[in-house]
């Protein structure tokens, strides 16, 4: 969890999230700063996980009259049900929600309507993507393609590994000689035949 404080005093609290530590939050932080965030909480975790300490901290930090800012609504929640529940909980606490990218501001009736429409569209897009992925996998399977990574332990490498192991070679020596990982060699040789 990271927290960025701006020099201005404001009741706008920002929340940014990226899925991995390799991804940059610069775009989100810059946009939230321009939108007037006095403080920005940052998570480096998937939106699918419920373990988002910065989100929890930002929600605890918010008080009645404050506004929670996110760059886009998909940074906050992935399911429409969770998103609507969270924004409703904020509303019950007297806290507004704003997404500058999507021009959503629940402080206005029009903004609240736009929020519900965008949330529904985001949910529909995720479902369509999931359906397309499943259809693509089914089509590939029907053509005889199997998903996943190709095996590095070919039949030839397995035979060579067994021969080397029978001659007393260690897993490390075998893995170096065959150009595959030690754990792959160990799993293959310890697997019952």
């Amino acid at each position: 969890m990271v927290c960025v404080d701006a020099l201005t005093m404001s009741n706008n609290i920002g929340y940014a999230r990226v899925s991995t530590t390799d991804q940059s939050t610069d775009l989100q932080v810059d946009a939230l700063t321009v939108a007037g965030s006095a403080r920005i909480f940052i998570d480096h975790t998937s939106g699918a996980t419920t373990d988002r300490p910065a989100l929890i901290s930002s929600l605890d930090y918010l008080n009645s009259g404050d506004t929670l800012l996110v760059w886009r609504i998909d940074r906050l929640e992935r399911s429409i049900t969770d998103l609507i529940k969270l924004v409703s909980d904020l509303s019950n606490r007297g806290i507004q929600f704003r997404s500058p990218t999507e021009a959503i501001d629940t402080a206005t009736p029009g903004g609240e309507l736009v929020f519900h429409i965008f949330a529904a569209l985001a949910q529909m897009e995720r479902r369509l993507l999931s359906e397309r992925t499943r259809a693509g996998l089914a089509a590939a399977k029907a053509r005889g393609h199997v998903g996943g990574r190709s095996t590095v332990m070919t039949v030839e490498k397995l035979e060579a590994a067994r021969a080397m192991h029978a001659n007393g070679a260690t897993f490390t020596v075998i893995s170096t000689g065959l150009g595959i990982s030690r754990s792959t060699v160990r799993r293959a040789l310890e697997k019952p035949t």
Side-chain angles (χ1 to χ4, degrees), residues 52-89:
R52 291 182 280 162
L55 177 59
I56 293 166
S57 294
S58 68
L59 296 176
D60 288 344
Y61 187 83
L62 289 162
N63 295 307
S64 180
D66 290 347
T67 300
L68 176 64
L69 296 171
V70 295
W71 176 59
R72 283 193 340 223
I73 59 175
D74 67 342
R75 300 294 84 201
L76 192 57
E77 293 287 355
R78 291 181 50 95
S79 90
I80 188 167
T81 307
D82 292 341
L83 183 62
I84 290 172
K85 181 183 181 315
L86 177 60
V87 173
S88 295
D89 289 346

Side-chain angles (χ1 to χ4, degrees), residues 9-141:
M9 296 302 287
S10 172
N11 62 347
N12 293 328
I13 307 304
Y15 173 71
R17 181 186 58 78
V18 290
S19 297
T20 67
T21 55
D22 295 341
Q23 294 175 323
S24 172
T25 58
D26 291 348
L27 173 67
Q28 293 179 57
V29 169
D30 291 348
L32 292 171
T33 302
V34 167
S37 291
R39 187 171 202 175
I40 301 171
F41 294 83
I42 302 169
D43 271 325
H44 291 274
T45 186
S46 168
T49 182
T50 56
D51 184 26
R52 291 182 280 162
L55 177 59
I56 293 166
S57 294
S58 68
L59 296 176
D60 288 344
Y61 187 83
L62 289 162
N63 295 307
S64 180
D66 290 347
T67 300
L68 176 64
L69 296 171
V70 295
W71 176 59
R72 283 193 340 223
I73 59 175
D74 67 342
R75 300 294 84 201
L76 192 57
E77 293 287 355
R78 291 181 50 95
S79 90
I80 188 167
T81 307
D82 292 341
L83 183 62
I84 290 172
K85 181 183 181 315
L86 177 60
V87 173
S88 295
D89 289 346
L90 291 172
S91 178
N92 291 338
R93 291 174 51 197
I95 299 166
Q96 300 302 319
F97 171 75
R98 189 158 53 106
S99 171
T101 302
E102 293 136 340
I104 296 171
D105 186 349
T106 61
T108 67
E112 193 169 357
L113 173 64
V114 170
F115 161 72
H116 286 286
I117 291 169
F118 269 74
L121 290 172
Q123 177 71 18
M124 184 182 77
E125 177 59 26
R126 279 191 294 278
R127 286 186 178 167
L128 289 173
L129 177 62
S130 178
E131 287 174 11
R132 287 191 301 263
T133 301
R134 282 194 304 273
L137 290 172
K141 187 175 182 180

Side-chain angles (χ1 to χ4, degrees), residues 1-15:
M1 176 183 81
V2 178
C3 183
V4 178
D5 287 318
L7 297 176
T8 61
M9 296 302 287
S10 172
N11 62 347
N12 293 328
I13 307 304
Y15 173 71

